[in-house]
Amino acid sequence: MIRVLIAEDQALVRGALRALLDLEEDIEVVAEVGRGDLVVDAARAHRPDVALLDIEMPGCDGIEAARALAGAVPECRAVVLTTFGRPGFLRRAMEVGAAGFLVKDAPVAELARGIRAVMAGERVIDRDLAAAALALGATPLSAREADVLRAAADGATVADIARRLFLSEGTVRNYLSSAIGKAGARTRVEAARVAEEKGWL
């Protein structure tokens, strides 16, 4: 049996995934959590072979949960599930060692096939997302530009960002200006939104 952990904050979706996967003869759902920061503890307690991780959860997102899982329970393979078909998310998931990246609206038979393939040592990626990620290329933002944009996303002032990131206000303005240009945006908040949609943050 392939032992599966489901991490999904919407109880209805979590229950549906469990019910559908439990119909598979070789798959058993051994644990469920509704927060990303509970994934590692649940994996340690239940020793799943595969963790299905929603990309957007309270506590921490599925990509950060995959990163934590790779460090704490490396024998558990992470598969990120998303309703957001954003190529940048796929790239980030692969960078943290996720074994799969699938969209939630795929048929359950495809999800089950993906789980089996991951167990066989393969990487499983939604075909359309993989093509889009290749077409988009790597993020144009430097690590510092991304940090500054993340800090600006909630409308923080330049002074706030400078204090938070231990930078001078002039340096923050330079990073923001560069990031806004790369995102093709007019304001820092718009640039943060564009970068988030593309999965650069």
Side-chain angles (χ1 to χ4, degrees):
M1 292 291 280
I2 302 171
R3 297 166 60 81
V4 173
L5 160 68
I6 299 173
E8 160 67 57
D9 63 325
Q10 294 181 36
L12 188 64
V13 175
R14 195 167 64 241
L17 279 171
R18 178 178 201 130
L20 290 167
L21 289 174
D22 279 343
L23 295 173
E24 301 292 323
E25 291 182 2
D26 58 341
I27 296 173
E28 177 188 10
V29 177
V30 296
E32 299 175 36
V33 295
R35 296 177 54 91
D37 54 358
L38 300 178
V39 167
V40 168
D41 287 345
R44 284 181 172 141
H46 299 279
R47 293 295 165 182
D49 301 303
V50 176
L52 300 179
L53 308 172
D54 182 29
I55 202 149
E56 288 207 339
M57 294 183 284
C60 74
D61 66 27
I63 293 172
E64 287 310 308
R67 184 197 307 275
L69 200 56
V73 191
E75 65 275 17
C76 180
R77 297 160 178 88
V79 175
V80 177
L81 295 179
T82 183
T83 52
F84 306 102
R86 298 176 187 161
F89 283 151
L90 165 59
R91 188 176 304 105
R92 286 175 52 215
M94 295 301 102
E95 285 169 358
V96 301
F101 194 93
L102 299 171
V103 291
K104 283 186 192 174
D105 59 1
V108 70
E110 192 173 313
L111 177 58
R113 273 197 303 275
I115 290 169
R116 292 182 190 108
V118 163
M119 276 302 294
E122 298 174 31
R123 269 200 165 172
V124 180
I125 300 169
D126 178 82
R127 208 171 293 147
D128 293 338
L129 272 179
L134 286 171
L136 187 63
T139 175
L141 300 177
S142 71
R144 254 332 194 182
E145 288 166 351
D147 288 343
V148 168
L149 264 194
R150 267 189 218 96
D154 60 0
T157 67
V158 168
D160 291 337
I161 297 167
R163 271 194 304 276
R164 198 180 307 170
L165 299 179
F166 306 102
L167 297 170
S168 73
E169 291 185 26
T171 300
V172 168
R173 283 191 192 91
N174 288 340
Y175 282 135
L176 282 173
S177 176
S178 177
I180 289 167
K182 288 177 180 178
R186 291 180 305 246
T187 66
R188 68 183 85 153
V189 173
E190 183 185 349
R193 180 183 54 76
V194 168
E196 180 67 36
E197 286 174 358
K198 292 181 180 287
W200 296 344
L201 298 182

